[in-house]
């Protein structure tokens, strides 16, 4: 006879946290959201080799995680997993772009040669919208630097016809410049001391490398939690599949990827086990997560196969129709609770701590706090990030409101059939995801800060200062349908309704 779980499966909306004692030191400024990403032997006193400063990762999806979003999220302290449903070359190039990105160091996109005319200069400025122009020998971004010209250097109506850039630019001999290798803080100092608006950075041969602008120089102060590797490059992840990993993994490692995850709708499979074992045998330094699973058996299987972290969630994603199409899945809260228990048992037995990630189905900000309290070390979000300026999709107006496009990896639009690979030659025959819009919400920085602020305040209400303390001490209650209704404004006529995220 089939096995029946005794309890129905629940989702985050059905739970609340009960406050604990809040001591005088339990204030938002003292809360740390630092969290482990990959397995480590905690009992032996090892430290986790990869941690995040906030428990947020972005989904392995075309409509969510490209290099632009990856930089924006790493600035805040989290990790993007760049989508794998693209060629190996393109994915590796995205990873390489994140690793090459230097906050505050801009590759100049508006460049001119000294013998060009001011009329040409004005038309160039109109095209790019940038009024600080690097003058280089060949007019290229990395050409030999000869000067800088800005709109303040000339008055076009007062200039002779055919006037040349060289006559009006600030020439190299009068420019304050710096050599490549300096830090943003050092560049900042030079900018302030010399009262200049931009600082060109050149290589040993005098070729232009970057411009640092006064307005960007404060980037680090604005992003105190930014997630950097030992060489001060942004940390980035990438999704892989169970088919071409022997070619994809080395390309991603070469590009500098820090962590990868097998991206699949269902990970309790021989294919994931083989991929984990093959990858770890060939590249022992590679960090590879696996999933998704929704119960203790799935967790144990992937833990023993060597997964560095394990993702939880089947059918809960906002664009997901897996449950309707195939009848598999489980309420996200119940799945997280059971997998967290299995993770704790595994740790007791082996001393090895395997971080777990609650993936999909986060609708409100407080769902993140609940997922953490239930034992998740971090969450993975698609819809949430798809709404921001930095996501790769189009911003449109639909029915008078700004929206962004958001589609599932299992939709006809993404056609990521490898994600649903169950072996054999036959391709995928039906969709497991939809193509949709999400309300446009503005910048990642502003939205994430609000979400984090809510999490931190809730943690103070619960009397805890860290995620492990929350996991240990949280008191969680299941709600009746009537108490769920009681939870939002009721029996009043709301004037300016505030929509909770
Ligand atoms: P969301 O944050 O609720 O939008 O869920 C995002 C998660 O949904 C991803 O991280 C994936 O695990 C999952 N997902 C992505 N595309 C699909 C799909 O087409 N069908 C089912 N699940 C998907």
């Amino acid at each position: 006879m089939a096995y029946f779980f005794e309890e129905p499966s629940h989702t985050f909306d059905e739970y609340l946290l009960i406050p604990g004692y809040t001591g005088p030191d339990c204030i938002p400024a003292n809360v740390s959201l630092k969290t482990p990403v990959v397995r480590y032997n905690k009992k032996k006193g090892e430290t986790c080799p990869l941690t995040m400063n906030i428990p947020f990762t972005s989904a392995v999806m075309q409509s969510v995680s490209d290099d632009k979003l990856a930089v924006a999220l790493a600035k805040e302290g989290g990790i993007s997993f760049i989508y794998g449903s693209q060629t190996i070359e393109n994915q590796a190039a995205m990873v390489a772009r994140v690793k090459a990105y230097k906050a505050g160091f801009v590759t100049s996109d508006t460049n001119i040669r000294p013998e060009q005319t001011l009329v040409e200069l004005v038309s160039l400025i109109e095209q790019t919208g940038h009024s600080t122009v690097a003058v280089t020998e060949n007019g290229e971004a990395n050409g030999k630097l000869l000067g800088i010209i800005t709109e303040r250097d000339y008055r076009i109506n007062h200039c002779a016809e055919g006037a040349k850039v060289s006559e009006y630019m600030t020439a190299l001999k009068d420019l304050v410049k710096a050599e490549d290798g300096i830090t943003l803080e050092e560049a900042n100092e030079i900018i302030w001391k010399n009262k200049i608006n931009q600082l060109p950075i050149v290589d040993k041969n005098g070729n232009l490398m970057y411009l640092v602008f006064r307005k960007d120089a404060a980037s680090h102060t604005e992003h105190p939690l930014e997630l950097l590797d030992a060489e001060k490059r942004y940390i980035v992840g990438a999704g892989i599949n169970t088919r071409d990993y022997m070619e994809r993994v080395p390309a991603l490692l070469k590009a500098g990827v820090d962590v990868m995850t097998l991206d699949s709708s269902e990970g309790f499979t021989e294919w994931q086990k083989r991929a984990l074992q093959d990858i770890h045998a060939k590249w022992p330094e590679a960090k590879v997560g696996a999933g998704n699973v929704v119960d203790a058996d799935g967790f144990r299987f992937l833990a023993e196969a060597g997964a560095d972290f394990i993702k939880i969630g089947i059918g809960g994603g906002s664009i997901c129709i897996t449950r309707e199409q195939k009848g598999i899945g489980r309420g996200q809260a119940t799945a997280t609770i059971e997998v967290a228990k299995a993770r704790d048992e595994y740790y007791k037995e082996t001393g090895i701590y395997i971080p777990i990630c609650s993936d999909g189905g986060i609708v409100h900000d407080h769902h993140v706090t609940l997922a953490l309290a239930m034992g998740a070390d971090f969450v993975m979000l698609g819809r949430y990030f798809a709404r921001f300026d930095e996501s790769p999709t189009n911003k449109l107006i639909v029915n008078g409101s700004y929206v962004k496009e958001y589609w599932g990896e299992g939709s006809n639009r993404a056609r990521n059939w490898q994600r649903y690979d169950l072996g054999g030659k036959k391709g995928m025959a039906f969709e497991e995801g939809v193509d949709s819009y999400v309300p446009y919400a503005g910048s990642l920085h502003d939205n994430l800060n609000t979400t984090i602020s809510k999490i931190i305040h809730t943690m103070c209400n619960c009397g805890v200062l860290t995620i492990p303390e929350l996991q240990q001490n949280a008191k969680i209650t299941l709600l009746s349908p009537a108490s769920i209704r009681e939870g939002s404004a009721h029996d009043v006529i709301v004037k300016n309704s505030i929509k909770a995220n």
Side-chain angles (χ1 to χ4, degrees), residues 242 266-274 301-302 421-422:
T242 51
E266 200 270 289
F268 190 176
T269 68
E270 181 62 19
W271 317 112
Q272 290 225 350
K273 179 178 165 186
R274 287 188 196 171
F301 176 82
L302 291 176
D421 184 22
L422 289 171

Side-chain angles (χ1 to χ4, degrees), residues 39-332:
R39 71 158 68 204
Y40 65 108
N41 197 319
K42 201 167 158 184
K43 263 207 189 118
K44 277 196 187 152
E46 284 177 6
T47 50
C48 180
L50 179 63
T51 56
M52 286 188 287
N53 293 329
I54 57 168
F56 284 80
T57 61
S58 71
V60 193
M61 297 174 74
Q62 293 173 3
S63 49
V64 181
S65 298
D66 68 350
D67 46 319
K68 188 172 172 194
L69 194 110
V71 167
L73 183 52
K75 276 186 185 169
E76 306 301 330
I79 300 181
S80 277
F81 283 85
I82 290 184
Y83 66 94
S85 51
Q86 58 178 326
T87 63
I88 295 174
E89 295 69 37
N90 288 349
Q91 191 187 20
M94 281 192 182
V95 168
R97 281 202 290 278
V98 178
K99 298 311 281 187
Y101 185 91
K102 290 177 81 180
F105 289 80
V106 178
T107 304
S108 173
D109 69 351
T110 315
N111 309 289
I112 199 158
R113 283 178 283 112
E115 68 275 16
Q116 288 185 261
T117 64
L118 290 184
V119 174
E120 285 175 295
L121 176 74
V122 169
S123 111
L124 179 68
I125 290 173
E126 270 168 18
Q127 273 169 39
T128 66
H130 293 145
S131 58
T132 299
V133 182
V135 186
T136 59
E137 204 168 66
N138 59 4
E140 302 284 331
N142 295 121
K144 202 172 187 57
L145 182 68
L146 299 176
I148 294 277
I149 186 162
T150 75
E151 275 177 333
R152 289 190 308 184
D153 295 325
Y154 58 90
R155 287 188 295 169
I156 194 72
N157 296 334
H158 291 70
C159 298
E161 217 185 310
K164 300 262 188 293
V165 167
S166 56
E167 298 165 38
Y168 290 87
M169 69 185 188
T170 306
L172 189 63
K173 65 176 175 38
D174 302 317
L175 270 183
V176 180
K177 55 188 183 312
E179 212 168 274
D180 191 26
I182 68 164
T183 65
L184 194 56
E185 284 78 44
E186 288 162 348
N188 200 2
E189 270 308 300
I190 299 174
I191 287 173
W192 277 94
K193 272 200 186 124
N194 292 280
K195 298 183 182 160
I196 49 178
N197 282 325
Q198 69 282 318
L199 177 71
I201 312 289
V202 292
D203 69 10
K204 283 201 168 55
N205 302 318
N207 295 317
L208 179 64
M209 303 288 295
Y210 309 103
L211 292 175
V212 176
F213 290 93
R214 174 182 282 261
K215 63 179 171 40
D216 292 339
S219 173
H220 180 69
T221 355
E222 268 172 39
H223 301 105
L225 296 178
E226 62 185 356
L227 200 60
L228 302 170
D229 66 15
E231 291 165 48
K232 297 223 175 317
R233 302 174 306 173
Y234 285 123
I235 300 272
V236 62
I240 57 175
N241 62 68
T242 51
R243 290 268 173 178
D244 65 12
Y245 56 87
M246 290 310 274
E247 294 86 48
R248 197 172 285 270
V249 168
L252 292 171
L253 288 172
K254 193 164 168 235
V257 80
D258 297 279
V259 56
M260 292 165 279
T261 186
L262 284 160
D263 173 42
S264 170
S265 74
E266 200 270 289
F268 190 176
T269 68
E270 181 62 19
W271 317 112
Q272 290 225 350
K273 179 178 165 186
R274 287 188 196 171
L276 287 167
Q277 290 175 345
D278 291 346
I279 294 169
H280 282 136
K282 183 112 202 233
W283 301 281
E285 77 285 9
K287 305 287 178 214
V288 191
N292 286 8
V293 299
V294 286
D295 72 353
D297 294 344
F299 171 86
R300 174 66 65 154
F301 176 82
L302 291 176
E304 285 171 356
D308 285 295
F309 65 86
I310 291 172
K311 288 205 289 128
I312 309 156
I314 297 178
S318 57
I319 32 49
C320 179
I321 51 171
T322 297
R323 293 187 193 167
E324 286 163 14
Q325 292 282 65
K326 298 206 297 202
I328 58 165
R330 198 174 195 189
Q332 190 64 16

Side-chain angles (χ1 to χ4, degrees), residues 59 61 292 311 316-322 359-362 380-383 406 408-411 419-420 432-433:
M61 297 174 74
N292 286 8
K311 288 205 289 128
S318 57
I319 32 49
C320 179
I321 51 171
T322 297
D359 173 17
I362 298 281
M380 178 170 270
L381 307 154
R383 185 198 61 86
Y406 179 44
E409 286 295 295
S411 67
R419 195 169 183 273
Y420 304 89
E432 290 196 34

